[in-house]
């Protein structure tokens, strides 16, 4: 487990050093896309639009949610493909080119995520343990669709083959990484909240938005970068 974590982390750091500006830019865009509902909701609340027209606010927020979800999927695919190209030392494409090429993977990507969550949820409903097993087996299914151009069924089988013989190691890696990210984010959020309460005590909305953007960008970069590096490590071993 330790070897997998250290090797994946070194790969991520190596990728980041190649294109730090683009890595941060992808993370920033992805964070903004996934935070649209929170940001727009906070602005509407602060300006009193929610109280004046609650029905219109709900409709608007639903529309923003749909746009946010679509953009998040598109830029997640684009960022992962960008990082994979960095790892493979292929020619780097612009963000616009990556987004255009990601369009073909949107529907299959969404479908494989839905399938993954249904399988995992079904496993948890059975005896809990099967849910963890399925979560590990099919953790790379999304990568199979967007990087290897595999179908949904094929990507699930592909993911299971990649982790075969190393399921427990991957489980502990995922658990360790999830806990580390959760603890780190909680500490940084509390620290930044304390700092902002001193600097900008009356601007809670600004504080919250800055927190989401800055910390979100940092942890998005780490999460997507590490996960992609982890996938390339398992793919290389097979």
């Amino acid at each position: 487990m330790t070897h997998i974590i250290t090797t994946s982390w070194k790969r991520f750091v190596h990728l980041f050093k190649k294109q730090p500006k683009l890595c941060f830019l992808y993370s920033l865009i992805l964070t903004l896309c996934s935070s649209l509902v929170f940001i727009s909701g906070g602005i509407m609340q602060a300006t009193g639009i929610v109280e004046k027209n609650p029905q219109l606010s709900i409709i608007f927020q639903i529309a923003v949610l749909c746009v946010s979800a679509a953009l998040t999927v598109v830029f997640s695919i684009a960022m992962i493909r960008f990082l994979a190209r960095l790892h493979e030392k292929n020619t780097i494409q612009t963000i616009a080119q990556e987004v255009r090429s990601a369009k073909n993977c949107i529907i299959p990507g969404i479908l494989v995520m839905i399938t993954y969550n249904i399988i995992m949820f079904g496993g948890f409903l059975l005896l809990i343990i099967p849910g963890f097993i399925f979560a590990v087996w099919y953790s790379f299914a999304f990568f199979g669709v967007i990087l290897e151009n595999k179908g949904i069924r094929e990507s699930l089988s592909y993911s299971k083959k990649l982790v075969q013989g190393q399921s427990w190691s991957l489980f502990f890696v995922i658990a360790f990484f999830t806990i580390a990210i959760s603890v780190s984010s909680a500490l940084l959020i509390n620290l930044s909240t304390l700092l902002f309460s001193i600097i900008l005590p009356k601007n809670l909305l600004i504080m919250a938005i800055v927190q989401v953007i800055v910390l979100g960008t940092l942890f998005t970069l780490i999460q997507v970068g590490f996960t992609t590096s982890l996938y390339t490590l398992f793919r290389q071993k097979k």
Side-chain angles (χ1 to χ4, degrees), residues 22-226:
L22 269 179
C23 286
F24 267 121
L25 186 56
Y26 269 107
S27 301
L28 175 60
I29 294 172
L30 185 52
T31 300
L32 290 173
C33 291
S34 61
S35 305
L36 284 177
V37 174
F38 171 79
I39 295 172
S40 61
I43 293 173
M44 291 171 68
Q45 192 77 38
T47 53
I49 296 175
V50 175
E51 288 79 10
K52 293 176 183 177
N53 202 328
Q55 291 182 338
L56 180 62
S57 299
I58 293 173
I59 294 172
F60 178 76
Q61 283 295 79
I62 292 173
V64 171
L65 176 62
C66 294
V67 172
S68 175
L71 289 175
T72 299
V73 172
V74 170
F75 280 101
S76 293
I77 294 171
M79 184 175 180
I80 290 172
R81 289 164 73 97
F82 159 73
L83 291 171
R85 289 181 196 279
L86 272 183
H87 172 72
E88 295 169 358
K89 300 179 181 179
N90 289 343
T91 304
I92 302 302
Q93 295 186 350
T94 63
I95 293 178
Q97 288 174 325
E98 288 289 6
V99 169
R100 280 196 293 269
S101 64
K103 289 180 181 178
N104 299 326
C105 302
I106 295 175
I107 301 301
I110 291 173
L111 291 176
V112 79
M113 284 192 295
I114 292 172
T115 305
Y116 171 79
N117 282 287
I118 290 173
I119 293 174
M120 189 171 62
F121 181 69
F124 282 123
L125 284 180
L126 291 176
L127 290 169
I128 298 180
I129 293 177
F132 288 110
I133 295 174
F134 295 151
V136 172
W137 279 357
Y138 306 126
S139 54
F140 294 135
F142 186 67
F143 291 91
V145 169
I146 67 172
L147 293 180
E148 314 299 338
N149 298 315
K150 297 182 181 295
I152 297 171
R153 236 174 166 184
E154 191 181 2
S155 66
L156 292 170
S157 300
Y158 170 73
S159 177
K160 187 177 177 181
K161 287 179 182 178
L162 280 184
V163 305
Q164 197 168 28
Q166 300 186 81
S167 298
W168 279 111
S169 297
L170 182 58
F171 170 77
F172 286 116
V173 168
I174 294 173
F176 173 82
F177 183 71
T178 302
I179 293 170
I181 287 290
S182 300
V183 172
S184 301
S185 61
L187 289 174
L188 286 177
I189 288 172
N190 290 331
L191 182 62
S192 61
T193 300
L194 178 61
L195 184 63
F196 272 110
S197 65
I198 298 171
I199 300 173
L200 299 168
K202 296 181 180 179
N203 295 289
L204 296 178
L205 177 60
I206 296 175
M207 179 192 74
I209 292 176
V210 171
Q211 274 186 326
V212 167
I213 293 175
V214 174
L215 297 182
T217 299
L218 174 63
F219 285 108
T220 295
L221 174 60
I222 294 173
Q223 189 167 2
V224 178
F226 179 83

